[in-house]
Amino acid sequence: MLATNTPGSACNQRAFSSMVESLVAVDGRGNRIEASREKNPEIFRTLCSGVGLAGIVTEVKLRVDDSYRIETEQRVMPMKKLTQQPVLERLAKNNDWFMFVVFPYTGEAHVTLGNRTEKPATGRPNECTERFALKRLEPIQRKLATWFPRLIPT
């Protein structure tokens, strides 16, 4: 969807709307509106960054990159280390993208790094997620079971 003001998926990528070359929309009165950075630029910016309130987008011309593969690496990191500014800056600088998911009460985060690669796709699933879930989440599940015993099937 265009009108979600979707951010880029990495620090060095712009918002999704930056890839829009032009668009056609229909306003609340049924009028057809053509817009681009050159033609109706104010309407163009409104339609690209709105949540669909300025009109219904019916056509979009996008500027896209060629397809590419991303190699991912997953690891578990202590939150205290991950949230240090030099560590976050290094992750952002040295990878095409990265993300992390914090699991409460564990003091750790599951970090995924991604970089473009020419290597062939392997289709091999990463075991890091399963190991993390089994090792780190089981104690949380036990705590929840003692706090909310009705959640446990009998």
Side-chain angles (χ1 to χ4, degrees):
M1 290 181 11
L2 171 69
T4 60
N5 205 16
T6 306
S9 62
C11 296
N12 59 358
Q13 294 179 348
R14 300 184 57 166
F16 177 75
S17 60
S18 70
M19 295 183 278
V20 178
E21 292 289 324
S22 63
L23 52 82
V24 176
V26 177
D27 69 12
R29 296 185 179 131
N31 299 317
R32 186 175 192 267
I33 305 166
E34 295 182 22
S36 68
R37 286 178 181 76
E38 296 78 32
K39 183 179 182 178
N40 297 322
E42 288 183 30
I43 293 172
F44 178 77
R45 286 191 301 272
T46 301
L47 288 166
C48 284
S49 63
V51 289
L53 298 176
I56 298 171
V57 177
T58 59
E59 297 176 36
V60 178
K61 181 179 178 185
L62 296 174
R63 180 181 59 253
V64 296
D65 290 337
D66 291 334
S67 64
Y68 55 88
R69 282 196 269 299
I70 294 178
E71 182 176 36
T72 60
E73 175 188 340
Q74 298 181 12
R75 61 176 79 150
V76 175
M77 290 181 75
M79 279 302 299
K80 286 184 179 181
K81 179 179 179 183
L82 178 62
T83 55
Q84 294 172 357
Q85 187 158 351
V87 174
L88 286 173
E89 288 175 355
R90 188 175 69 247
L91 290 171
K93 181 181 176 186
N94 295 339
N95 297 284
D96 289 332
W97 63 266
F98 80 95
M99 68 176 211
F100 61 92
V101 178
V102 177
F103 289 96
Y105 308 110
T106 66
E108 295 178 326
H110 183 248
V111 179
T112 303
L113 310 173
N115 293 288
R116 290 183 186 206
T117 184
E118 296 297 320
K119 295 177 185 177
T122 63
R124 180 180 51 86
N126 194 309
E127 297 172 9
C128 181
T129 305
E130 288 180 26
R131 285 194 317 265
F132 181 83
L134 291 175
K135 182 177 176 185
R136 306 295 194 275
L137 297 180
E138 189 177 352
I140 295 171
Q141 290 172 332
R142 281 196 302 266
K143 271 187 187 176
L144 287 172
T146 59
W147 294 340
F148 305 102
R150 285 185 283 160
L151 294 177
I152 307 303
T154 55

